[in-house]
Amino acid sequence: MGIAVGKSIKEAEKFCKENDLKFTPVRRKVLEILLQKNKALGAYEILDLLREAGFKNQPPVAYRALDFLVKNGFAHKIEQLNSFVGCMHPGKDHSPAFMICRNCDFVSEEEAINPNFSVSKIASKAGFKVEKAVIEARGLCHSCASMA
Amino acid sequence: MGIAVGKSIKEAEKFCKENDLKFTPVRRKVLEILLQKNKALGAYEILDLLREAGFKNQPPVAYRALDFLVKNGFAHKIEQLNSFVGCMHPGKDHSPAFMICRNCDFVSEEEAINPNFSVSKIASKAGFKVEKAVIEARGLCHSCASMA
DNA sequence: GCGCAAATGTTATGTTATATCATGGAGGAC
DNA sequence: GTCCTCCATGATATAACATAACATTTGCGC
Ligand SMILES: [Zn+2]
Ligand SMILES: [Zn+2]
Ligand SMILES: [Zn+2]
Ligand SMILES: [Zn+2]
């Protein structure tokens, strides 16, 4: 295991301890897998790796662990790929922007937390050549927000 | 059919004529469905509506039409919802940003073509209260881009 | 120990998307 | 007009992604 992976796992462990979350073996293992591979993995790829590591391998095993990791900010879902990546900035409340290379499959996670950051600024900062950008915000439309 | 729908269909027709694309009955019907409903629809919902309109309803029927519409800019896929919307700015080369209301399911398409536009600027312009933003760029990483 | 809540085990199924091969139909070359 | 090619469509099957539902186990406060 790389040093960075070990460090991230330790941070997750610490965060869970502080927030009464259970960092169970399967959750830890899934996070390790994501961090070690350092690229987007589908739930069923993760499932295969879990089986190899001696865990159960029904779909809910992977999806539950992924739900936990995503919900608590240790991993993210890449919507375009129906797949998941380990978080590169764990512990902090953040708003990620992903740069996904179509050639080498590498995924880099950039910070978009500054509300004035644009996709093109983020990309140029990362040296990434954007061919297609997916920008989707979920929330409340003007009309629904004004009713609440 | 609303006037705006008819106008969009006409524009698509014109664009196809000019670009040697075949605006076949099933493609036209799927675009009409998307524009009329004015919200994100899953492929299988579209399939049901196609069947009601007397078209065949195997999955490839919908997916092929949607591929055509998306590829040529008449519709967009909403990745977070695995669903599709008709384009609000057809004909122009554009880079959309979607605001998806979790309360009323309305999807608005904003222009993000100005590279200095940020998600938060787009949202505030649209009166939209963002709760979660998905930002995913596909393209070439620094290393792969420099090799090409 | 007992009872509760959360996590995991297990089976089944739902949902989204594509592969593959057959058939049909418009338009150009001759 | 006939043949040929290309592309769209028809049709069947299956792959890939995700969740529902209920049983069982585990950890923890009492
Ligand atoms: Zn992150
Ligand atoms: Zn690359
Ligand atoms: Zn559009
Ligand atoms: Zn709304």
Side-chain angles (χ1 to χ4, degrees):
Chain A
M1 180 190 315
I3 287 175
V5 174
K7 184 163 172 289
S8 289
I9 295 284
K10 285 259 187 306
E11 282 174 23
E13 199 165 42
K14 179 161 165 286
F15 182 89
C16 287
K17 208 162 269 173
E18 289 168 0
N19 293 84
D20 267 328
L21 301 168
K22 295 180 187 176
F23 199 46
T24 62
V26 65
R27 291 168 177 178
R28 170 189 297 259
K29 186 66 194 175
V30 171
L31 183 53
E32 277 177 22
I33 288 169
L34 290 173
L35 293 168
Q36 276 168 23
K37 296 283 178 181
N38 194 32
K39 62 171 203 167
L41 293 174
Y44 284 73
E45 292 178 86
I46 290 165
L47 218 46
D48 287 344
L49 297 168
L50 282 177
R51 182 174 28 69
E52 286 174 19
F55 290 86
K56 300 287 167 160
N57 70 323
Q58 303 93 329
V61 173
Y63 282 104
R64 284 165 176 164
L66 287 166
D67 282 349
F68 173 86
L69 295 173
V70 169
K71 186 177 163 197
N72 296 112
F74 304 133
H76 300 288
K77 181 170 188 179
I78 305 295
E79 299 287 351
Q80 282 187 79
L81 305 179
N82 294 318
S83 60
F84 301 84
V85 291
C87 177
M88 301 299 155
H89 311 107
K92 303 172 206 154
D93 187 25
H94 64 297
S95 170
F98 299 97
M99 308 283 140
I100 308 156
C101 182
R102 65 162 163 78
N103 188 244
C104 70
D105 283 339
F106 179 73
V107 176
S108 88
E109 178 184 345
E110 307 297 329
E111 270 295 340
I113 202 164
N114 180 331
N116 288 317
F117 256 15
S118 70
V119 173
S120 60
K121 276 188 207 160
I122 293 166
S124 71
K125 182 164 158 259
F128 190 90
K129 187 174 180 310
V130 177
E131 291 168 350
K132 183 196 176 191
V134 168
I135 304 176
E136 295 173 5
R138 282 276 255 168
L140 288 174
C141 73
H142 182 65
S143 142
C144 290
S146 60
M147 275 190 272
Chain B
M1 183 190 313
I3 287 176
V5 174
K7 184 162 173 288
S8 290
I9 295 282
K10 286 259 188 305
E11 282 175 22
E13 200 165 41
K14 178 161 167 284
F15 183 90
C16 287
K17 209 163 266 173
E18 289 169 0
N19 293 85
D20 267 328
L21 300 169
K22 296 182 185 173
F23 198 46
T24 62
V26 65
R27 290 168 178 177
R28 170 190 296 262
K29 186 66 195 176
V30 171
L31 182 54
E32 277 178 20
I33 288 169
L34 289 173
L35 293 168
Q36 274 168 23
K37 295 285 178 180
N38 194 32
K39 62 171 202 167
L41 293 174
Y44 284 76
E45 292 177 87
I46 291 166
L47 217 46
D48 287 343
L49 296 168
L50 283 176
R51 182 174 28 69
E52 285 174 19
F55 290 86
K56 302 286 166 159
N57 70 323
Q58 304 92 331
V61 173
Y63 282 104
R64 285 165 176 162
L66 288 165
D67 283 350
F68 173 86
L69 296 173
V70 169
K71 187 178 164 195
N72 296 111
F74 304 131
H76 300 289
K77 181 169 186 181
I78 304 296
E79 298 287 351
Q80 282 186 78
L81 304 178
N82 294 317
S83 60
F84 300 84
V85 291
C87 177
M88 301 298 154
H89 310 107
K92 304 172 203 153
D93 187 24
H94 63 297
S95 169
F98 298 97
M99 309 283 140
I100 309 155
C101 182
R102 65 163 162 78
N103 187 242
C104 70
D105 284 337
F106 179 72
V107 176
S108 87
E109 177 183 346
E110 307 295 328
E111 268 296 338
I113 203 165
N114 180 331
N116 288 318
F117 256 14
S118 68
V119 174
S120 60
K121 276 188 207 158
I122 294 166
S124 72
K125 182 164 158 263
F128 191 90
K129 188 173 180 308
V130 178
E131 291 168 351
K132 183 196 176 191
V134 168
I135 304 175
E136 296 174 4
R138 284 276 255 167
L140 288 174
C141 73
H142 183 64
S143 144
C144 290
S146 60
M147 276 190 273

